[in-house]
Amino acid sequence: GRGRPRRRSSLPAAMADLDAAEDAAKELLGIMEAFPRFKERAVDPLHPEGERGALVFRGPLKLVQTVSKLTCASKASTVGDRFKALLSRSKWVRQEELEQALDGADGLDGLDGRLAAYDPAREYVAVVVAELQRGPACWHQVGGGHPASIEDSGPWLYVLDHGTSRAGRRPGFSYTGSLRPYRVSPRRPVAEGILLPDYAADGDPRAEQAAPARSTPPVVSAAQAEKLRAVCRMGREIVDAAHRVIKPGVTTDEIDRVVHDKHMEFGAYPAPLNYHNFPKSVCTSVNEVVCHGIPDMRQLEDGDIVNIDVSPIFDGFHADLNETFCVGPGVTQKKKDLIKASHDSLMKAIDACKPGFFYRDVGGIITSHINGCGFAVDKTYCGHGVGEYFHCAPNIPHYAGNKAKFVMKVGHCFTIEPMINTGTWKDVHWADGWTAVTKDGKPSAQFEHQLLMHESGAEILTARLPTSPPLWWEEGAQPGAATPVL
């Protein structure tokens, strides 16, 4: 929350000045919050380590408005460049000197409490003072510092409307569990020379939407199969790279950075990036998130579970796979059982795949196993065809009694990716339009493999490698050899 002055005057001009000052001050305080390295790069250099006090920007209304407008309108992405005008007119005031420095200012209510409670090692206090005809008025807030691994680039904002817009404040929503959205970093650049899909600029996958493969499952040639094996091997190595960095304290944005950089290393494009305006290169789905979680500033906590969903494009073909991992030693047995049930239901479904098998019967195999484990199959999302396009026919629901079309044929390439919920199968979407969470706020887990059909059965193109980090039940042993989902 932010401290604000009381409205002491009924004079129209005075009220207009106060409103204008409040707007400018809130914009300034908000843009400070949007730069996660603001404390380290702007506040910390101004005072001795551990000293208590506040960053104070003070000036006439016109100056406050001008600095606010310049700072908010700037395209600079680093703290030093973005806040040059603000910092040149700001100063550090020690806690014991603040009362005198702000003497007579309206809006001081709550400031003493903030100064007494904040932690200088990880937080800062910022004060904006506007000198008005009615007297000085101030606004203040406590801002947070963030891990050094977070890049000095901004602004970090909340995602809205399926990725088409951003907001400076967390959107209101009836959240079903304990998880909340955090700020999301700016889009990461794609290296020169990497072939871009048609949606990379505007978010619209026109070629996929117009393709005959949307209605009829394509049959993969031998040459295409080799390309699929190559990109799926990349996908496997990318998921494994993400798995290796998962631990308490790591942000999901850091996982996105690792995944994005690994794509760049391979010369591959991360298919989720701007697909229907999705803002990141990987989906990171934590705890009650069923799928399509957006990487953000939140740090993973001991006891979390997190799904990593990766989809590289290379040489004109897509891979698609995901796995769910434990974060730290504090994961409950119930969550571990959920993860294992999701994995095992997938493998049982894969074992049944063969030419002539009905796609609609995949859901019955998964549901039978999951019901026996005491969990529920999410019915909203399904597996899908994949190859030249991210999503194509067939759709493959994971629940029993579905009406999916087509039978498996040699040369079909598709995913099976059951999402398994602890409680109800039902889900809802956050205000970002992407993040699907369980309706009861209980955990969800998922595994996905990409398969290529042969006469003898399904080839798992995204199979785990001897070098893959172990899943929780493999630890201590050798590593193991609806709506389409990203």
Side-chain angles (χ1 to χ4, degrees), residues 460-480:
I460 304 177
L461 298 174
T462 49
R464 293 172 61 78
L465 303 170
T467 54
S468 296
L471 299 168
W472 75 257
W473 59 91
E474 300 171 333
E475 290 174 359
Q478 292 296 316

Side-chain angles (χ1 to χ4, degrees), residues 159 179-182 184 252-253 255-256 272-273 278-298 305-310 322 381 419 428-430 432-438 444 446 485-486:
V159 174
L179 201 69
R180 300 291 184 271
Y182 280 63
V184 173
T252 50
D253 182 81
I255 295 171
D256 180 76
L273 186 60
F278 188 82
K280 288 294 169 184
S281 298
V282 61
C283 298
T284 54
S285 300
V286 178
N287 295 339
E288 67 263 28
V289 179
V290 176
C291 61
H292 300 163
I294 299 173
D296 61 21
M297 195 183 284
R298 180 186 181 271
I305 60 174
V306 57
N307 178 272
I308 306 298
D309 195 343
V310 161
N322 72 61
Y381 297 93
M419 282 138 277
V428 296
H429 284 87
W430 280 358
D432 61 38
W434 278 108
T435 307
V437 295
T438 57
S444 182
Q446 182 187 12
V485 194
L486 288 190

Side-chain angles (χ1 to χ4, degrees), residues 253-333:
D253 182 81
E254 173 66 8
I255 295 171
D256 180 76
R257 185 194 64 77
V258 169
V259 166
H260 186 87
D261 288 353
K262 198 71 175 174
H263 278 84
M264 300 304 99
E265 178 186 325
F266 283 135
Y269 184 89
L273 186 60
N274 214 38
Y275 181 80
H276 291 293
N277 304 113
F278 188 82
K280 288 294 169 184
S281 298
V282 61
C283 298
T284 54
S285 300
V286 178
N287 295 339
E288 67 263 28
V289 179
V290 176
C291 61
H292 300 163
I294 299 173
D296 61 21
M297 195 183 284
R298 180 186 181 271
Q299 293 175 288
L300 293 174
E301 298 175 0
D302 184 27
D304 285 344
I305 60 174
V306 57
N307 178 272
I308 306 298
D309 195 343
V310 161
S311 307
I313 311 172
F314 184 78
D315 200 13
F317 285 83
H318 296 71
D320 198 4
L321 71 155
N322 72 61
E323 293 182 339
T324 302
F325 308 116
C326 295
V327 182
V331 177
T332 64
Q333 190 60 47

Side-chain angles (χ1 to χ4, degrees), residues 261-425:
D261 288 353
K262 198 71 175 174
H263 278 84
M264 300 304 99
E265 178 186 325
F266 283 135
Y269 184 89
L273 186 60
N274 214 38
Y275 181 80
H276 291 293
N277 304 113
F278 188 82
K280 288 294 169 184
S281 298
V282 61
C283 298
T284 54
S285 300
V286 178
N287 295 339
E288 67 263 28
V289 179
V290 176
C291 61
H292 300 163
I294 299 173
D296 61 21
M297 195 183 284
R298 180 186 181 271
Q299 293 175 288
L300 293 174
E301 298 175 0
D302 184 27
D304 285 344
I305 60 174
V306 57
N307 178 272
I308 306 298
D309 195 343
V310 161
S311 307
I313 311 172
F314 184 78
D315 200 13
F317 285 83
H318 296 71
D320 198 4
L321 71 155
N322 72 61
E323 293 182 339
T324 302
F325 308 116
C326 295
V327 182
V331 177
T332 64
Q333 190 60 47
K334 185 79 168 179
K335 284 183 175 179
K336 288 182 175 181
D337 291 345
L338 177 71
I339 293 172
K340 185 70 160 58
S342 175
H343 171 273
D344 290 353
S345 71
L346 168 62
M347 300 313 293
K348 285 178 179 291
I350 291 173
D351 286 344
C353 292
K354 60 183 179 182
F357 191 74
F358 285 91
Y359 283 108
R360 65 173 179 250
D361 291 336
V362 168
I365 295 169
I366 291 170
T367 300
S368 176
H369 180 77
I370 292 305
N371 286 354
C373 296
F375 300 120
V377 179
D378 191 283
K379 297 181 182 181
T380 305
Y381 297 93
C382 60
H384 53 89
V386 60
E388 289 186 86
Y389 303 102
F390 198 176
H391 301 104
C392 63
N395 284 341
I396 309 169
H398 303 113
Y399 58 91
N402 68 79
K403 306 292 192 216
K405 298 190 297 183
F406 306 114
V407 298
M408 297 179 186
K409 294 182 179 179
V410 173
H412 282 187
C413 188
F414 55 92
T415 70
I416 302 176
E417 45 185 303
M419 282 138 277
I420 308 304
N421 300 345
T422 304
T424 180
W425 69 263

Side-chain angles (χ1 to χ4, degrees), residues 112-266:
D112 285 344
R114 284 194 165 110
L115 289 165
Y118 90 103
D119 179 0
R122 60 182 187 86
E123 295 174 316
Y124 66 91
V125 176
V127 182
V128 176
V129 185
E131 295 166 352
L132 308 176
Q133 187 174 3
R134 66 197 289 277
C138 74
W139 293 261
H140 44 85
Q141 72 178 14
V142 175
H146 297 277
S149 60
I150 289 183
E151 301 165 13
D152 180 19
S153 66
W156 293 51
L157 299 167
Y158 295 99
V159 174
L160 297 174
D161 303 322
H162 286 87
T164 59
S165 64
R166 301 290 187 272
R169 291 190 177 184
R170 179 179 290 160
F173 186 76
S174 296
Y175 295 100
T176 62
S178 60
L179 201 69
R180 300 291 184 271
Y182 280 63
R183 293 175 180 272
V184 173
S185 65
R187 181 171 167 176
R188 290 188 162 87
V190 175
E192 243 182 273
I194 291 178
L195 186 64
L196 304 179
D198 60 352
Y199 57 82
D202 63 8
D204 184 11
R206 292 174 294 278
E208 177 183 282
Q209 292 169 342
R214 291 285 290 181
S215 56
T216 304
V219 175
V220 171
S221 70
Q224 291 173 328
E226 286 305 311
K227 293 185 177 184
L228 282 165
R229 291 186 184 99
V231 71
C232 285
R233 172 64 182 246
M234 291 179 187
R236 164 50 57 190
E237 293 191 24
I238 293 168
V239 165
D240 290 349
H243 188 178
R244 291 186 182 99
V245 303
I246 290 173
K247 62 181 180 180
V250 170
T251 66
T252 50
D253 182 81
E254 173 66 8
I255 295 171
D256 180 76
R257 185 194 64 77
V258 169
V259 166
H260 186 87
D261 288 353
K262 198 71 175 174
H263 278 84
M264 300 304 99
E265 178 186 325
F266 283 135

